[in-house]
């Protein structure tokens, strides 16, 4: 994403505000102070227009208590856009609504993917060992005592890392993955994802409509953002994930062959593996969305290829990303208010 400190941004004002030019003397004269436009007098922030990925446009996160924005449009947008004074909210709505056809197409494709997955899970997935699946589930939940049976090492690792994926997505989606143009909150989907995995999150991806709402200083310091933004939480997540992956990697060849046989026969293990793949496939986009919202794309873009690494990449990004309270735009907004 273009850095506001390194690249100029052209703000297109109405033609009535352009500096008057004498036809006989082409040298422009100064504009009277009474005619200087005051756009966004109540606002303290600017937003940039990020690039699109897969037809979905992530946007920068407005930080501040009032959430009013000063709209600056770059040179690629149409020239005939002339907002009037006191129309910040209207301009923001129009700006966030452009490309609606592309968003509609993405939502339809995501819904079709989710519907196909649901059909496969309930109708086509292998289900040759339902009683063994129930036994495995009870063992993994510690509902059965020590009966002498040794659980597959790879299966145990998969079970525990699936419990960490929803936490990673919670840290990616709150607050930069929230939707200001939709009244549908993200937290119910995140809670259900601890039980239903990515199958429960895809419906929110279908309904997601950026940009995210404004975030105030009080919200950053309160629950749950203080937990999700904590570097301690990110560090524990990375350490736990690395430990689980190493534990699975230490399994011998017989363990992996046994796990592959389980994958072919067990619906529980089969759909869990697909769930892990879905979490992995969607995570790079949400890393990019969060990175763009924090205006860290120019410095953190080297993490985007690493985000393709299952679990480790997104978790490492969460550890290295700048916190919301440390962003320059947030610091400047609070300083302006204090002055």
């Amino acid at each position: 994403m273009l850095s506001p400190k390194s690249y100029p941004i052209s703000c297109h004002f109405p033609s009535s505000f352009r500096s008057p030019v004498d036809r006989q003397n082409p040298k422009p004269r100064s504009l009277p102070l009474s005619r200087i436009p005051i756009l966004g007098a109540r606002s303290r922030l600017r937003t940039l227009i990020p690039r699109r990925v897969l037809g979905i446009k992530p946007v920068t996160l407005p930080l501040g208590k009032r959430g009013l924005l000063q709209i600056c449009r770059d040179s690629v947008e149409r020239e005939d856009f002339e907002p009037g004074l006191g129309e910040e909210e209207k301009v923001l709505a129009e700006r966030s609504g452009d490309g609606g056809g592309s968003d509609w197409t993405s939502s339809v494709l995501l819904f079709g993917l989710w519907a196909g997955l649901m059909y496969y899970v309930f109708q086509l997935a292998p289900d040759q060992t339902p009683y063994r699946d129930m036994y495995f589930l009870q063992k993994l939940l510690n509902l059965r005592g020590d009966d002498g049976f040794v659980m597959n090492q790879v299966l145990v690792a998969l079970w525990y890392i699936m419990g960490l994926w929803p936490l990673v997505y919670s840290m990616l989606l709150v607050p930069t993955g929230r939707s200001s143009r939709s009244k549908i909150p993200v937290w119910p989907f995140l809670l259900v994802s601890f039980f239903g995995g990515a199958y429960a999150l895809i419906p929110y991806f279908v309904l997601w409509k950026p940009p995210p709402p404004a975030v105030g200083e009080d919200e950053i310091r309160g629950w749950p953002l203080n937990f999700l933004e904590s570097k301690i939480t990110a560090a524990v997540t990375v350490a736990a994930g690395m430990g689980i992956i190493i534990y699975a990697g230490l399994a011998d060849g017989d363990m992996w062959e046994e796990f592959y046989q389980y994958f072919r026969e067990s619906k529980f293990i089969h759909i869990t593996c697909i769930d892990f793949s879905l979490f992995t496939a969607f995570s790079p986009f949400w890393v990019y969305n969060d990175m763009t919202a924090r205006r860290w794309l120019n410095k953190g873009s080297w993490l985007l290829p690493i985000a393709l690494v299952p679990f480790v990449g997104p978790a490492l990004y969460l550890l290295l990303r700048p916190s919301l309270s440390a962003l320059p735009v947030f610091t400047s907004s609070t300083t302006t208010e204090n002055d």
Side-chain angles (χ1 to χ4, degrees):
M1 188 181 72
L2 296 180
S3 172
K5 297 181 180 179
S6 303
Y7 297 89
I9 300 175
S10 60
C11 296
H12 299 297
F13 299 114
S15 57
S16 60
F17 294 136
R18 295 171 183 169
S19 177
V21 179
D22 192 344
R23 294 183 179 179
Q24 297 179 356
N25 184 11
K27 183 179 180 180
R29 59 179 183 270
S30 59
L31 190 67
L33 293 177
S34 59
R35 299 184 60 192
I36 295 179
I38 304 177
L39 294 181
R42 296 171 296 171
S43 68
R44 298 161 298 193
L45 308 176
R46 294 178 175 88
T47 59
L48 297 178
I49 300 177
R51 296 168 289 183
R52 293 178 179 270
V53 174
L54 301 179
I56 306 176
K57 182 175 69 174
V59 294
T60 54
L61 177 66
L63 293 174
K65 295 184 177 180
R66 296 184 179 88
L68 298 177
L69 304 178
Q70 177 176 350
I71 305 304
C72 289
R73 304 173 62 82
D74 64 11
S75 59
V76 301
E77 294 187 291
R78 63 184 186 272
E79 296 287 337
D80 58 347
F81 187 85
E82 297 187 355
L85 294 176
E87 295 182 355
E88 287 91 345
E89 291 84 356
K90 180 180 178 180
V91 174
L92 178 59
E94 293 177 356
R95 181 169 176 267
S96 58
D98 58 2
S102 178
D103 295 342
W104 178 83
T105 303
S106 302
S107 297
V108 170
L109 291 176
L110 284 173
F111 179 78
L113 172 65
W114 179 77
L117 287 170
M118 292 297 98
Y119 181 79
Y120 180 83
V121 166
F122 290 104
Q123 299 295 329
L124 302 179
D127 191 15
Q128 302 177 17
T129 58
Y131 295 104
R132 188 178 66 186
D133 287 355
M134 183 59 63
Y135 173 79
F136 283 169
L137 186 60
Q138 291 174 350
K139 289 284 290 184
L140 292 170
L141 292 173
N142 294 321
L143 298 179
R144 281 181 174 267
D146 186 7
D147 54 5
F149 180 80
V150 179
M151 290 291 294
N152 183 278
Q153 190 171 335
V154 182
L155 174 59
V156 173
L158 176 66
W159 172 259
Y160 283 110
I161 206 166
M162 291 305 295
L164 291 177
W165 264 122
L167 176 60
V168 169
Y169 269 78
S170 298
M171 299 171 74
L172 287 174
L173 295 177
V174 180
T176 58
R178 296 187 300 185
S179 179
S180 63
R181 294 197 295 139
S182 174
K183 296 183 179 180
I184 300 176
V186 64
W187 63 265
F189 297 90
L190 290 172
L191 289 179
V192 177
S193 69
F194 281 91
F195 306 95
Y199 304 109
L201 279 179
I202 294 178
Y204 178 76
F205 300 163
V206 174
L207 301 171
W208 178 61
K209 294 181 180 181
V215 178
E217 183 179 1
D218 295 338
E219 185 178 0
I220 293 177
R221 295 177 178 177
W223 174 265
L225 272 183
N226 58 350
F227 172 76
L228 298 176
E229 288 285 321
S230 172
K231 295 302 179 183
I232 297 178
T233 304
V236 171
T237 303
V238 172
M242 290 296 297
I244 294 172
I245 292 174
I246 293 174
Y247 176 76
L250 294 176
D252 56 22
D254 293 338
M255 283 283 185
W256 283 97
E257 290 181 4
E258 182 184 51
F259 179 79
Y260 177 69
Q261 189 65 28
Y262 289 160
F263 174 79
R264 297 180 58 185
E265 299 174 349
S266 166
K267 172 175 281 193
F268 165 59
I269 299 176
H270 191 87
I271 65 176
T272 303
C273 290
I274 296 176
D275 193 13
F276 179 86
S277 301
L278 291 172
F279 274 131
T280 303
F282 283 107
S283 60
F285 169 78
W286 292 108
V287 167
Y288 171 79
N289 178 74
D290 187 80
M291 186 182 298
T292 305
R294 294 169 190 266
R295 301 186 178 185
W296 200 53
L297 187 60
N298 57 336
K299 295 182 180 179
S301 57
W302 62 274
L303 284 170
L304 290 177
I306 300 178
L308 298 173
V309 180
F311 189 84
V312 177
L316 183 62
Y317 164 75
L318 294 173
L319 180 63
L320 299 178
R321 69 179 180 178
S323 60
L324 291 177
S325 58
L327 292 177
V329 65
F330 180 81
T331 304
S332 62
S333 65
T334 54
T335 303
T336 303
E337 183 175 281
N338 292 335
D339 294 342

